[in-house]
Amino acid sequence: MRAKLKEIIERAVGSEAGFDIMVSDHVEQGHYSTNLAMRHAKLIHQNPLDIANDFAERIKSSAPADFFEKVEVAPPGFINFWLTPSAWHGSLDDILGQGNKYGVWNIGQNKTVIVEHSSLNIAKPIHVGHLRNAFTGDSLANIYQATGYKVVRWNYLGDWGTQFGKLIVAYRKWGDEAAVEKDPIPTLTALYIRFHDEAKNNESLEDEARAEFRKLEQGDKENRKLWGWFKKESMREFNRVYKTLGIDFDIDIGENFFEKELERVISELTEKGLTKESEGGLIIPLDKFNLPVALVRKSDGGSLYLTRDLANLEYRLKEYKPAKILYVVGNEQSLHLSQVFAVFDLLGLGQGVELLHVKYGMVLGESGKKLSTREGNVVSGEEVLQKALGLARGIVQDKNPGLSRQEKEDVAQAVAIGALKYTNLKENRNSDIIFDWQKMLDFSGDSGPYLQYTYARLQSIKRKARRVDYYWPRRQLHLLKDEKELALIRAIAEYPYALLAALENTAPNLLCSYLYGLANTTNSFYEACPVMKEEDSNLRVARLKLIDATAQTLKSGLRILGIKAPERI
Ligand code: ARG
């Protein structure tokens, strides 16, 4: 609908000053409003109100007769528009015609975007911060996909570094094969912690670890085998958790893969005159960017995280020719990524390629402090998941005891994961979030389960309707005259723009708040306008059509957030 309005405005008065179309907060201020007259007034130094009045007249008279109900001017120069019910009926008709394609864009056509997220570290636990990272990355990837981009989802595994020397030493001294196989991550983490404890009183351990890592780098068979095994066991665990979360990747090439490229990258940097020797190491000065120097080779010849990222970047550019790369990575690595991006700039590699560090806030417990167990350890992703599942099972049992065991379990999974994802996504990406279990699972609040419940309710009406209105007569959308019905059509019509705003601002929370608003509008429609109790079968069918469009929009939006929409809850 916005597109149509925009077209009418442009046809009537042009758009050289540029303008926005906003959805009004209150229907008293119109369905939409525009700042067009104010923009224009600035350009030609005239009174915005006069221009607004003039434009309002011209816009009204150039529109099709049944399009505007009312066009009004409001100080300091807004033009507010109310569209006729018949314009909205046309919009609903169009939405129904698009079916489940409704809402998608093709702005990204022929463009690739790489979304790197999670980037899990081998032998280390998945913690709550990783969950926020994964939910953010996955929903952004979905948003890009829904707007027509080709998306490459990349888990850049942390599978290299001196910690593997430590792990090899610790495993040989205290390790147990069966324990690693049974419970890989906790076992390996414990070995790593023990290494550090023992190293406090035994300096030679660190030397041993360095030597083992060096051997690993040089391709020592035994060490490679151990490393490969640690990686395999860790991946088994990661895949299990990510499968439950419903998140998958196209690529999981990790840091190790780029080892063999490093010398080439370093000589390239040197040939371009970007590097300098410093205290035996090799650096790139970045004063031009107001950044500290980037170290690309250590004085002992050892390789670096930064250099691997540079090699990775070159590889990505070459293999995928992306228009954009999103790095979903915590705030702590801002400096690191700024340095990577600065070197990318110096190299002049990817003209027109946009690199973006997608940061996110912390996940805190109900006390506002970092989430931790009673022992003071950081809570693992798995613990959070299990807790959410336990609570959701209880709720599903209460709400819908009649479901089969398998159905209950499926619904509980969808609800628990939906609750976790929504809680993580609904806040502005950069704000810290507080885990409040009750709110997260509140079926009537701003929560994932509330949206799922709203959807399930609509589906249940549709199921009932199928029995009664088996042959739906031709839809007569013009019967939808109630303000609640029209408000719901207006809300559905905003869906593509909510998606667009989420894309443009790299902000899944905008999609969350849109869906929350849509669910609220749906529920007040539903309370005011009973569907199956409506006697007039034509109106009943028109309402069912409205429900159809609503359900489909909710489901589509939830899917983009990575949240399942069960048919029953
Ligand atoms: N695995 C790294 C860590 O946990 C994060 C990787 C971030 N991505 C990157 N391209 N450097 O610290």
Side-chain angles (χ1 to χ4, degrees):
M1 198 51 121
R2 279 201 208 202
K4 207 168 197 171
L5 178 59
K6 185 159 180 261
E7 205 187 290
I8 289 174
I9 295 176
E10 281 175 353
R11 213 174 340 107
V13 298
S15 66
E16 66 256 50
F19 62 94
D20 305 303
I21 294 177
M22 287 88 60
V23 175
S24 311
D25 291 336
H26 302 287
V27 70
E28 297 81 55
Q29 292 157 0
H31 301 150
Y32 296 107
S33 78
T34 180
N35 56 2
L36 165 76
M38 281 129 85
R39 286 276 183 89
H40 199 80
K42 219 180 216 153
L43 204 69
I44 57 170
H45 305 288
Q46 279 190 19
N47 180 351
L49 262 184
D50 293 343
I51 296 192
N53 280 313
D54 172 37
F55 279 12
E57 276 316 309
R58 280 160 59 190
I59 293 168
K60 210 159 50 179
S61 55
S62 77
D66 59 348
F67 192 72
F68 289 122
E69 188 164 75
K70 200 161 63 169
V71 180
E72 269 181 15
V73 166
F78 287 105
I79 308 175
N80 300 338
F81 304 99
W82 288 259
L83 276 51
T84 57
S86 95
W88 289 114
H89 298 145
S91 168
L92 178 59
D93 194 48
D94 182 42
I95 291 165
L96 286 165
Q98 293 180 44
N100 55 17
K101 293 236 161 40
Y102 174 58
V104 306
W105 296 83
N106 61 4
I107 349 181
Q109 228 174 25
N110 306 322
K111 285 190 204 141
T112 298
V113 50
I114 296 176
V115 179
E116 180 204 302
H117 71 87
S118 294
S119 302
L120 297 168
N121 297 321
I122 298 302
K124 297 219 179 119
I126 298 175
H127 54 75
V128 282
H130 283 123
L131 295 187
R132 188 164 189 196
N133 180 314
F135 299 158
T136 306
D138 190 54
S139 62
L140 286 171
N142 293 337
I143 289 168
Y144 273 91
Q145 209 153 22
T147 46
Y149 288 83
K150 181 173 182 304
V151 176
V152 179
R153 298 156 197 258
W154 196 313
N155 182 8
Y156 180 46
L157 289 172
D159 59 359
W160 204 241
T162 50
Q163 70 272 29
F164 291 97
K166 297 176 185 172
L167 214 48
I168 289 171
V169 171
Y171 178 75
R172 289 215 175 104
K173 287 195 193 301
W174 316 297
D176 168 15
E177 185 175 337
V180 173
E181 272 174 13
K182 181 157 174 287
D183 217 359
I185 308 274
T187 309
L188 292 171
T189 312
L191 282 172
Y192 190 68
I193 292 172
R194 176 151 179 200
F195 177 92
H196 281 276
D197 283 345
E198 307 244 354
K200 281 185 208 139
N201 308 312
N202 180 357
E203 280 174 22
S204 65
L205 272 182
E206 294 280 357
D207 293 333
E208 271 181 61
R210 261 190 292 276
E212 293 303 334
F213 181 61
R214 177 49 59 92
K215 274 167 67 186
L216 178 64
E217 284 189 303
Q218 288 160 349
D220 174 85
K221 265 218 171 91
E222 285 305 308
N223 282 9
R224 282 304 284 201
K225 215 167 111 189
L226 267 185
W227 169 82
W229 180 56
F230 294 154
K231 181 163 166 174
K232 190 176 124 224
E233 295 299 324
S234 304
M235 289 302 289
R236 205 156 48 85
E237 178 83 1
F238 294 162
N239 289 337
R240 189 181 56 74
V241 176
Y242 272 64
K243 188 160 183 241
T244 313
L245 296 175
I247 294 178
D248 51 24
F249 295 98
D250 303 302
I251 309 281
D252 62 5
I253 292 179
E255 296 185 34
N256 165 258
F257 179 86
F258 298 102
E259 271 304 288
K260 55 184 189 304
E261 306 293 327
L262 299 185
E263 275 319 307
R264 190 186 47 72
V265 171
I266 290 173
S267 20
E268 196 182 304
L269 292 165
T270 307
E271 272 162 33
K272 293 203 172 160
L274 300 175
T275 57
K276 255 197 196 149
E277 299 277 343
S278 166
E279 298 170 20
L282 202 63
I283 59 163
I284 304 182
L286 297 173
D287 340 336
K288 204 175 117 188
F289 302 86
N290 265 326
L291 290 170
V293 295
L295 185 60
V296 290
R297 183 163 54 207
K298 290 195 279 193
S299 53
D300 64 6
S303 76
L304 283 160
Y305 183 48
L306 182 104
T307 322
R308 291 196 285 276
D309 251 319
L310 292 173
N312 180 353
L313 184 48
E314 282 199 355
Y315 177 85
R316 287 173 173 176
L317 296 175
K318 194 170 93 216
E319 294 291 317
Y320 298 95
K321 312 225 175 340
K324 259 186 202 183
I325 306 178
L326 267 53
Y327 291 78
V328 184
V329 180
N331 284 329
E332 327 73 76
Q333 299 199 23
S334 288
L335 173 60
H336 166 75
L337 286 177
S338 305
Q339 290 177 316
V340 173
F341 297 176
V343 176
F344 162 81
D345 218 49
L346 289 176
L347 281 169
L349 283 178
Q351 294 309 330
V353 181
E354 190 187 340
L355 306 182
L356 200 64
H357 178 188
V358 179
K359 305 171 198 175
Y360 50 90
M362 282 195 297
V363 180
L364 305 172
E366 277 168 59
S367 58
K369 298 215 186 74
K370 266 198 170 169
L371 265 187
S372 57
T373 61
R374 239 182 302 157
E375 293 73 42
N377 299 318
V378 175
V379 171
S380 74
E382 181 70 22
E383 281 171 273
V384 167
L385 191 56
Q386 288 309 329
K387 176 157 181 179
L389 267 171
L391 293 168
R393 284 187 188 117
I395 295 173
V396 173
Q397 174 63 31
D398 285 351
K399 272 206 177 317
N400 212 337
L403 295 179
S404 73
R405 252 181 66 193
Q406 186 59 47
E407 270 179 310
K408 271 186 213 155
E409 183 55 21
D410 291 347
V411 172
Q413 288 236 0
V415 166
I417 292 163
L420 284 174
K421 287 188 176 175
Y422 191 83
T423 287
N424 276 276
L425 294 172
K426 77 169 186 173
E427 250 25 275
N428 178 311
R429 186 160 48 72
N430 291 305
S431 325
D432 294 342
I433 52 170
I434 294 192
F435 256 44
D436 180 331
W437 295 98
Q438 223 167 357
K439 269 198 191 155
M440 193 188 304
L441 287 153
D442 180 359
F443 275 66
S444 54
D446 183 7
S447 73
Y450 170 60
L451 300 182
Q452 291 172 318
Y453 187 57
T454 305
Y455 174 77
R457 244 174 123 179
L458 299 178
Q459 293 303 92
S460 124
I461 301 173
K462 281 166 60 186
R463 275 194 302 274
K464 282 188 206 130
R466 266 183 211 121
R467 274 180 252 135
V468 189
D469 295 307
Y470 191 72
Y471 295 104
W472 286 2
R474 247 175 76 82
R475 57 190 187 223
Q476 302 196 29
L477 301 180
H478 67 269
L479 297 174
L480 301 171
K481 284 183 249 169
D482 193 285
E483 172 51 26
K484 301 272 185 203
E485 293 163 336
L486 294 168
L488 185 52
I489 302 178
R490 294 201 298 271
I492 301 171
E494 268 311 292
Y495 176 55
Y497 300 94
L499 202 56
L500 197 61
L503 173 81
E504 284 170 352
N505 298 288
T506 323
N509 62 303
L510 297 179
L511 185 55
C512 293
S513 52
Y514 165 75
L515 291 173
Y516 180 52
L518 177 62
N520 287 337
T521 312
T522 304
N523 288 310
S524 47
F525 150 74
Y526 182 68
E527 272 151 39
C529 311
V531 180
M532 294 315 291
K533 287 202 196 103
E534 175 53 54
E535 309 254 296
D536 174 351
S537 67
N538 284 328
L539 178 56
R540 196 165 65 228
V541 171
R543 284 185 181 158
L544 282 168
K545 284 295 168 190
L546 178 54
I547 282 187
D548 231 5
T550 312
Q552 175 190 297
T553 305
L554 270 174
K555 185 177 187 175
S556 163
L558 284 171
R559 191 193 54 75
I560 290 174
L561 295 176
I563 299 176
K564 284 193 182 145
E567 296 297 304
R568 298 162 214 266
I569 284 197

